[in-house]
Amino acid sequence: MKQLISGLWLTCICLVGKGQADSKPLYLQFPDIPPFTLTKVPDSSSFGKAALVKKKPVLIIYFSPDCDHCQQTTRQLIAKIDAFKNIQVIMASPLSYALIADFYTKYAIASYPNIVMGHDEKFFLGSFYRISEYPTMFLYNKKGRFIKKLEGSIELQQVADAFK
């Protein structure tokens, strides 16, 4: 009888352990664009998923203004902006609004109407995507469905080609 009770107890413990939360990142569990809200640079207005143009692909770039790779990625993006003219580019950072605003000015982001830059003040996107390095990019098709994640220094032409 003791063995039966011990066996049942052990089985219960194992089942509870297996019942833990799914270890897959949220962006894989929920492959649609997440319901984010950013504080937009340069005017501090709110910008979120609802403001995206429907039926248009989206590229979310999570970056740090003081990251060399992020600066290189931004220079490439600007140099190849024609390849991204039909893609909504969202550049989000958890760092201070002032640093993001300086970055926005330095790279003249206002000159590129398809790029929106904002402060992820609550680190919503950072935790949703489990950001571990900068830059990290997330590609979504025109239906708003996840296509691909890219981390680190990536040739931006590869990113543009992934939308074709």
Side-chain angles (χ1 to χ4, degrees):
M1 185 62 145
K2 283 184 180 180
Q3 288 179 335
L4 179 62
I5 293 173
S6 295
L8 286 173
W9 181 249
L10 184 59
T11 301
C12 288
I13 291 173
C14 289
L15 289 175
V16 168
K18 284 200 170 265
Q20 296 301 314
D22 193 342
S23 63
K24 282 192 330 186
L26 289 173
Y27 70 92
L28 294 176
Q29 293 179 49
F30 306 100
D32 293 329
I33 297 170
F36 68 91
T37 301
L38 302 174
T39 303
K40 191 175 168 184
V41 176
D43 62 4
S44 298
S45 63
S46 185
F47 181 88
K49 178 181 178 177
L52 293 172
V53 177
K54 305 287 186 235
K55 297 184 181 179
K56 199 168 183 183
V58 175
L59 170 62
I60 296 175
I61 303 174
Y62 210 76
F63 77 104
S64 171
D66 57 0
C67 160
D68 290 335
H69 294 291
C70 299
Q71 292 174 26
Q72 177 186 356
T73 296
T74 303
R75 286 190 295 272
Q76 280 187 48
L77 176 63
I78 290 168
K80 298 182 182 302
I81 198 68
D82 286 341
F84 292 89
K85 66 184 174 197
N86 294 318
I87 298 166
Q88 299 173 89
V89 180
I90 310 302
M91 296 183 72
S93 177
L95 274 67
S96 79
Y97 185 89
L99 284 174
I100 300 166
D102 288 346
F103 190 92
Y104 181 89
T105 302
K106 178 179 179 179
Y107 291 100
I109 301 300
S111 304
Y112 309 100
N114 63 319
I115 301 176
V116 173
M117 188 172 285
H119 182 213
D120 183 16
E121 186 176 356
K122 295 178 182 170
F123 198 64
F124 171 79
L125 290 173
S127 60
F128 181 84
Y129 290 123
R130 289 189 189 171
I131 299 296
S132 61
E133 68 178 279
Y134 296 116
T136 301
M137 296 176 231
F138 298 88
L139 291 65
Y140 290 88
N141 66 20
K142 63 184 176 183
K143 293 180 180 178
R145 300 292 285 180
F146 176 73
I147 300 172
K148 189 178 224 180
K149 172 185 177 181
L150 301 165
E151 293 179 296
S153 291
I154 304 293
E155 174 57 44
L156 266 285
Q157 190 58 51
Q158 287 178 301
V159 177
D161 291 345
F163 283 105
K164 292 180 181 177

